[in-house]
Amino acid sequence: AQKVTQAQTEISVVEKEDVTLDCVYETRDTTYYLFWYKQPPSGELVFLIRRNSFDEQNEISGRYSWNFQKSTSSFNFTITASQVVDSAVYFCALSEAGTGTASKLTFGTGTRLQVTL
Amino acid sequence: NAGVTQTPKFQVLKTGQSMTLQCAQDMNHEYMSWYRQDPGMGLRLIHYSVGAGITDQGEVPNGYNVSRSTTEDFPLRLLSAAPSQTSVYFCASSPSPGTGPNSPLHFGNGTRLTVT
């Protein structure tokens, strides 16, 4: 069975601080996808990134960066110079890559990030 | 460009009532799914479909029925609502893996359901 663990329930930072959200996953599959979604206070789910299990390169998108390490089954998300607009709940998710599973995500319980002035 | 549309946005039911949560997508996606979101539990998969006429159970299917008669629509039915079904429900869609780069799930904006 797949499992995603986000051990940090809630994080509070002051604006401009860097913050890392942890994600640890479990799967028996050799091929899989990892995702991060953002859920702002308005409630919608916003896609941030997808990473497949064969690509361990770190990725940077503006102030966002992701560190994928298969050796530790982790896919951590860092926000550099956080802003108030980054306040949201962030979900890490895991999907098997085989046929029929593109719509089946296993989500972590989420990390609520509060950025204050 | 509507994407994934869920109706209604809010619903209050009494125990034992039935209702259907509607979900429609206009992206010609093969894959659709329903999730429920509860405090402290993230999102959990209820049912999913890999194409018209094909559905399967997810992690928490009990109390819910689905059907997929068209590519566009994937309604979720509660036959006899229970307070335990109070939750926020999200519908999602994605193209099948063989149609190119595996796209992320596109989520609707959710339906907040309260069962009293």
Side-chain angles (χ1 to χ4, degrees), chain A residues 37 39 47 50 100 102-103 105, chain B residues 31 33 35 37 40 48 102 104-105:
Chain A
Y37 281 87
Q39 187 175 45
F47 166 77
R50 174 183 59 87
S103 59
L105 291 185
Chain B
Y31 287 20
S33 48
Y35 293 82
Q37 181 179 16
Y48 67 100
N102 200 359
L105 255 57

Side-chain angles (χ1 to χ4, degrees), chain A residues 33 35 37 39 43-45 47 50 91 99-105 107-109, chain B residues 31 33 35 37 40-43 45 48 50 90 94-95 97 102 104-105 107 109:
Chain A
Y33 288 88
F35 301 77
Y37 281 87
Q39 187 175 45
E44 73 271 25
L45 287 157
F47 166 77
R50 174 183 59 87
F91 290 99
T99 302
T101 57
S103 59
K104 293 172 64 178
L105 291 185
F107 282 83
T109 52
Chain B
Y31 287 20
S33 48
Y35 293 82
Q37 181 179 16
M41 303 191 73
L43 283 82
L45 182 66
Y48 67 100
V50 300
F90 286 96
S94 70
N102 200 359
L105 255 57
F107 283 91
N109 287 333

Side-chain angles (χ1 to χ4, degrees), chain B residues 62-80:
Chain B
N62 292 341
Y64 308 96
N65 280 349
V66 292
S67 60
R68 184 96 180 272
S69 55
T70 67
T71 298
E72 294 76 21
D73 300 300
F74 190 43
L76 179 71
R77 297 183 185 85
L78 285 71
L79 298 180
S80 179

Side-chain angles (χ1 to χ4, degrees), chain A residues 38 63-64 79-88 90 113 115:
Chain A
K38 173 183 180 181
R63 295 185 297 106
Y64 295 171
I79 302 174
T80 303
S82 59
Q83 299 177 1
V84 172
V85 294
D86 296 325
S87 297
Y90 291 86
L113 175 64
V115 182

